């Protein structure tokens, strides 16, 4: 299978590597890239500014603070990057105005052949280029980042780990919190984990995990998941359960 291709349009392409210190050069994303499961490339929107000063933003009509990213550099960058590969690219704009990212959306993105991530900056992007490109608008939560780049990396990480072969143990993508929705995958938080030593600073590992009774372990873990979800994220259990 061909690797998933991810393009990132940004005014800070260095954030995506390939330097050794870049966040995307570690762990599962780095391994998946080396294994040919995914490839990504950041393109500088500034390269498509088309003016002497490489300017990609301007003052807002109607006044107000900050700058607005101009239509033309973003549009030209998208057009050029898309033309470099005949496969259809799913356009995703990272913005706090977007739809909150969920594991279901992540799973769906993992099935696409090509993703084109646009990282917004400053006060925002001229609305007309958003209308023209009609991207999926995605937010990673109800807080404001200084730019879409870190959000793009979070989306990339969440997608890459779902690609076949990206995780050492195929099953582990399913068991964790916010596991894929499916018959074996209940949407519950994860249970606690323990490793050696059996006692640390007076804290013992729960007895049930030491006994070797697989069914008992599974039952305990399920109960832990349910209790944690009730306590921390009752919203995941559906409406009507929040007060229980
Ligand atoms: Cl996707 N972008 C920015 N700038 N801030 C955010 C965000 C995205 N998601 C949450 N906050």
């Amino acid at each position: 299978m061909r690797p998933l291709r991810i393009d990132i349009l940004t005014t800070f392409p260095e954030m995506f590597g390939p330097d050794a210190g870049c966040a995307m050069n570690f762990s599962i994303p780095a391994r998946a890239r080396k294994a040919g499961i995914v490839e990504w490339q950041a393109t500088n929107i500034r390269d498509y500014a088309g003016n002497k000063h490489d300017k990609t933003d301007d003052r807002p009509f109607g006044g107000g603070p900050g700058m607005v990213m101009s239509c033309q550099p973003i549009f030209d960058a998208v057009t050029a990057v898309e033309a470099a590969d005949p496969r259809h690219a799913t356009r995703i704009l990272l913005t706090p105005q977007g739809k909150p990212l969920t594991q279901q959306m992540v799973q769906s993105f993992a099935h696409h052949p090509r993703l084109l991530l646009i990282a917004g900056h400053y006060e925002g992007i001229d609305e007309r280029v958003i209308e023209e490109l009609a991207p999926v608008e995605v937010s990673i939560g109800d807080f404001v980042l200084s730019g879409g780049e870190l959000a793009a990396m979070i989306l990339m990480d969440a997608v890459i780990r779902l690609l076949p072969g990206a995780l050492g143990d195929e099953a582990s993508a399913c068991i964790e919190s916010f596991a894929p929705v499916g018959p074996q995958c209940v949407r519950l938080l994860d249970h606690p984990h323990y490793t050696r030593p059996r006692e640390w600073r007076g804290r013992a590992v729960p007895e049930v995990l030491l006994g070797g009774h697989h069914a008992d372990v599974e039952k305990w873990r399920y109960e832990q998941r349910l209790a944690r979800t009730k306590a921390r994220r009752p919203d995941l259990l559906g409406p009507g359960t929040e007060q229980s």
Side-chain angles (χ1 to χ4, degrees):
M1 216 165 86
R2 286 190 70 182
L4 166 68
R5 172 171 175 156
I6 306 175
D7 288 281
I8 309 104
L9 300 193
T10 167
T11 46
F12 300 98
E14 294 85 357
M15 288 178 75
F16 296 85
D19 333 344
C22 158
M24 294 303 293
N25 251 340
F26 293 91
S27 189
I28 288 158
R31 273 211 335 257
R33 182 182 211 176
K34 283 171 200 145
I37 292 165
V38 61
E39 59 190 20
W40 68 82
Q41 191 176 306
T43 297
N44 198 338
I45 296 168
R46 207 169 293 286
D47 294 345
Y48 296 88
N51 56 64
K52 259 208 316 253
H53 306 289
D54 290 346
K55 210 167 134 62
T56 58
D57 60 349
D58 211 333
R59 300 204 317 271
F61 278 122
M67 299 292 271
V68 175
M69 293 181 84
S70 310
C71 291
Q72 175 263 311
I74 292 177
F75 185 80
D76 289 355
V78 168
T79 306
V81 164
E82 284 187 350
D85 187 319
R87 288 175 294 173
H88 170 79
T90 301
R91 298 168 178 168
I92 303 170
L93 173 64
L94 285 309
T95 163
Q97 272 71 53
K99 186 174 163 193
L101 185 66
T102 63
Q103 189 64 22
Q104 258 172 301
M105 289 157 74
V106 169
Q107 266 189 282
S108 126
F109 292 146
H111 286 103
H112 294 209
R114 227 191 132 181
L115 303 175
L116 195 162
L117 310 181
I118 306 165
H121 253 274
Y122 314 112
E123 289 306 303
I125 297 178
D126 190 314
E127 190 67 19
R128 294 167 297 180
V129 75
I130 303 176
E131 289 169 6
E132 185 72 24
L133 295 171
V136 184
E137 294 182 68
V138 169
S139 162
I140 61 155
D142 290 336
F143 45 83
V144 180
L145 303 170
S146 52
E149 283 79 9
L150 290 171
M153 286 187 214
I154 283 169
L155 188 151
M156 287 170 68
D157 185 289
V159 168
I160 290 167
R161 63 184 287 289
L162 293 183
L163 300 175
L167 296 182
D169 180 359
E170 286 295 319
S172 56
C174 187
I175 303 165
E176 291 168 43
S177 301
F178 305 102
V181 181
Q184 272 97 39
C185 299
V186 188
R187 274 162 42 103
L188 293 175
L189 299 186
D190 202 5
H191 54 77
H193 297 268
Y194 300 90
T195 184
R196 293 187 295 176
R198 287 167 76 126
E199 193 175 311
W200 180 76
R201 287 186 163 236
R203 298 171 190 274
V205 172
E207 201 65 40
V208 63
L209 302 179
L210 307 173
H213 298 291
H214 186 67
D216 289 356
V217 169
E218 286 308 297
K219 181 168 173 285
W220 179 86
R221 285 179 171 167
Y222 180 73
E223 288 164 358
Q224 290 288 315
R225 296 183 67 189
L226 205 57
R228 276 190 161 187
T229 309
K230 263 188 185 155
R232 301 179 186 186
R233 292 294 308 277
D235 56 298
L236 293 178
L237 296 171
T241 59
E242 315 225 346
Q243 303 303 317
S244 59

